[in-house]
């Protein structure tokens, strides 16, 4: 997994950024063949310097108009449980490890990650189990994620409204 | 069902039946992507499209403009406008201040909806949608126009409805959920599988 892309979407998730840049996490990533770590930190207060790690190439930024390219170039995406990030990653057919922010109150984000996990589309963990998961994760057990069908919605609405 | 269309909004004269919809946007981030995916599938007939977003939301505006530009490029054009109203509720905002900000949003939503007079309000989640749907319902209550309320619960909601969803479940004309677990709990909802 040469390039690993970490994304927190529009949120701030300092714990994830902190954990993924610890020496233990870096070692675990290197053990899986990682050479480049790209971090999208959103509104977080931690923005690692590009040269902060001599073991891995690090590139950190806050936001981009689109992370489609970063997802495309990644061999693994590590993401917060946001719907947009999850769906974009799964839509691109990339292995996805979701890190759940267990500090968020009323964490309804968990519902989707949980469901996708139960349907075998992604792996998930918390910041405290991140390093362990990096060492043991196996993506070969997952099922492909089929895209949603907005056309069903459009067809239904057209019929209901009597639009040809 | 015959759709009447407001003559003051139409500039183009086209042979097909048109309906204007007022699309309401939730908080920026995933919801924007969701509603735009739904919009992608809708035909030319759904025009003009009035996107209503929170005044604090810059990201959604960019995404909407990009999306509408791409529709233009494929020749699937229609008209669109961007309208802004104050956020009715921030994530984790307290109850009392939520009531105040919701009433504030309503003060904007009612004149806006009365002015635009849409045939349909299509919304996807928290933030701006409840005041706008309420305004749409009001238009019908005062006998001016029947506005269809179409709510698509976010794909994030698997086991429970969002607050907006709970409020609008009984008030909407068409209420879509995207997971069978919600269909079981909310029998009046429409389940077509994942639609975003």
């Amino acid at each position: 997994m040469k390039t690993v892309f970490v994304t927190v979407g529009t949120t701030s998730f300092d714990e994830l950024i902190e954990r993924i840049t610890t020496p233990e996490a870096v070692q675990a990533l290197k053990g899986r063949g990682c050479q480049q770590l790209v971090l999208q930190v959103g509104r977080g207060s931690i923005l690692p310097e590009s040269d902060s790690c001599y073991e891995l190439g690090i590139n950190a930024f806050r936001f981009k108009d689109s992370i489609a390219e970063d997802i495309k170039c990644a061999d693994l995406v590590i993401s917060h449980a946001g719907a947009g990030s999850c769906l974009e990653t799964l839509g691109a057919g990339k292995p996805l490890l979701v890190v759940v922010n267990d500090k968020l109150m009323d964490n309804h984000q968990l519902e989707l990650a949980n469901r996708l996990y139960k349907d075998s589309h992604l792996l998930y963990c918390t910041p405290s189990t991140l390093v362990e998961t990096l060492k043991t994760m196996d993506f070969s057990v997952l099922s492909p994620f089929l895209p949603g069908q907005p056309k069903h919605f459009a067809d239904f609405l057209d019929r209901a409204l009597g639009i040809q | 069902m015959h759709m009447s269309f407001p003559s003051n909004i139409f500039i183009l004269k086209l042979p097909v039946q048109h309906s204007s919809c007022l699309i309401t946007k939730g908080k920026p981030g995933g919801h924007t992507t969701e509603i735009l995916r739904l919009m992608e599938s809708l035909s030319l007939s759904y025009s003009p499209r009035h996107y209503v977003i929170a005044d604090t939301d810059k990201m959604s505006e960019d995404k909407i403009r990009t999306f509408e530009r791409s529709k233009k490029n494929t020749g699937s054009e229609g008209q669109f406008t961007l309208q802004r109203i104050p956020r009715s509720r921030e994530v984790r905002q307290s109850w009392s201040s939520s009531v105040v900000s919701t009433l504030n949003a309503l003060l904007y939503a009612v004149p806006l909806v009365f002015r635009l007079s849409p045939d349909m309000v299509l919304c996807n989640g928290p933030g701006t949608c409840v005041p706008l749907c309420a305004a749409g319902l009001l238009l019908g209550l005062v006998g001016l126009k029947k506005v269809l309320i179409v709510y698509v619960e976010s794909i994030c909601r698997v086991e429970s409805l969002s607050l907006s969803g709970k409020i609008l479940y009984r008030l909407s004309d068409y209420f879509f959920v995207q997971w069978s677990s919600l269909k079981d709990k909310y029998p009046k909802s429409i389940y077509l599988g994942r639609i975003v």
Side-chain angles (χ1 to χ4, degrees), chain A residues 10 83 87 104 108 111-112 115 119 145-154 156-158 160-163, chain B residues 1 17 37-38 41 45-46 59 92 122 148 152 155-160 174 176 179 190 192 194-196:
Chain A
T10 53
L87 296 173
L104 278 183
H108 75 262
E111 288 181 16
L112 179 67
R115 173 92 253 158
D119 293 347
F145 179 77
L146 300 173
Q149 302 286 312
K151 191 167 187 308
H152 294 166
F153 168 76
F156 181 99
L157 220 55
D158 285 349
L161 303 183
I163 290 172
Chain B
M1 176 189 298
Q17 220 175 22
R37 276 190 213 220
L38 291 170
S41 63
S45 301
Y46 296 85
M59 277 180 64
R92 283 172 278 191
L122 169 62
L148 245 91
V152 178
I155 194 166
C156 310
R157 292 302 195 165
V158 180
E159 302 292 341
S160 61
Y174 300 105
F176 293 84
W179 299 96
I190 300 159
L192 303 174
R194 279 186 277 118
I195 50 178
V196 299

Side-chain angles (χ1 to χ4, degrees), chain A residues 6-7 9 18 22 35 41 44 46 54 61 64 116 124 127 152-153 155 157:
Chain A
V6 178
T7 174
E18 230 162 29
T22 56
Q35 291 171 22
V41 309
I46 303 173
Y54 65 90
F61 61 91
K64 266 186 195 170
L116 292 171
Y124 87 74
H152 294 166
F153 168 76
D155 289 344
L157 220 55

Side-chain angles (χ1 to χ4, degrees), chain B residues 170-185:
Chain B
R170 294 196 185 280
L171 298 174
S172 51
D173 295 286
Y174 300 105
F175 189 94
F176 293 84
V177 295
Q178 303 194 54
W179 299 96
S180 54
S181 34
L182 279 178
K183 172 68 185 175
D184 297 336
K185 291 174 186 163

